[in-house]
Amino acid sequence: MTHNTEITPKFHPEITPSLEELEGQERRLVFSRFTYEDAWALGSLLVDLARERQAPVAIDIHRAGQQLFHAALPGSTPDNDAWIARKRRIVERYGEASYLVGSRFRAKGTTFEDSSRLDPDEYAAHGGSFPINVEGVGVIGAVTVSGLPQLQDHRFVVEALEEFLKR
């Protein structure tokens, strides 16, 4: 099977978002509530989008320490599950998207791995995990994708959240 080389056609992969853009995504992509049914619907939307694009990804949604949704599409591997766990731990620790956390370190001229003092076998500040932030409550979980280059993982999650929250 040939995979679609342009997984997120709405975006130009070569354009790295600014910290302001990433922070704006987090302010904008806030839920009024997040239920088990919401996890299923969001996860299903991500699966549908991934299938349309033949994206070899694994998808995970956690809330308050419980896995509410998981799917592994053709082309994904057990390594994607390990990446999901490492990226999700960033969201759980920092309360921000894994890509934003990594970008903050890069903006300081360093890397997360060199400067965070956290075990890189447990934490990965790479794109693909985004906080589930509930209005008036705060961050209660994360939606995570792994299998694409990190910026595409990030943008894929953001695109799905934008579509989901319009409903």
Side-chain angles (χ1 to χ4, degrees), residues 13-31:
E14 70 278 1
I15 299 173
T16 303
S18 66
L19 291 176
E20 294 77 23
E21 181 181 345
L22 296 168
E23 291 164 349
Q25 291 169 348
E26 298 215 2
R27 285 190 300 273
R28 194 174 70 252
L29 299 173
V30 176
F31 293 81

Side-chain angles (χ1 to χ4, degrees), residues 73-140:
L73 279 75
S76 66
T77 70
D79 284 344
N80 296 122
D81 292 330
W83 276 98
I84 282 171
R86 293 168 58 220
K87 293 190 279 188
R88 186 184 69 246
R89 286 186 195 105
I90 294 291
V91 173
E92 292 167 349
R93 185 173 186 106
Y94 290 87
E96 297 178 322
S98 55
Y99 191 78
L100 174 57
V101 172
S103 294
R104 286 207 171 109
F105 280 91
R106 288 187 293 277
K108 293 176 186 173
T110 186
T111 65
F112 175 84
E113 294 79 8
D114 288 340
S115 299
S116 71
R117 304 185 77 191
L118 295 173
D119 183 351
D121 290 337
E122 295 293 319
Y123 295 89
H126 292 256
S129 192
F130 201 92
I132 298 170
N133 189 359
V134 175
E135 189 175 299
V137 177
V139 175
I140 62 163

Side-chain angles (χ1 to χ4, degrees), residues 22-23 38-40 86 125 149-150 154:
L22 296 168
E23 291 164 349
D38 293 326
W40 179 260
R86 293 168 58 220
Q150 69 166 325
H154 174 80

Side-chain angles (χ1 to χ4, degrees), residues 64 136 146 154 157-158:
S146 175
H154 174 80
V157 172
V158 167

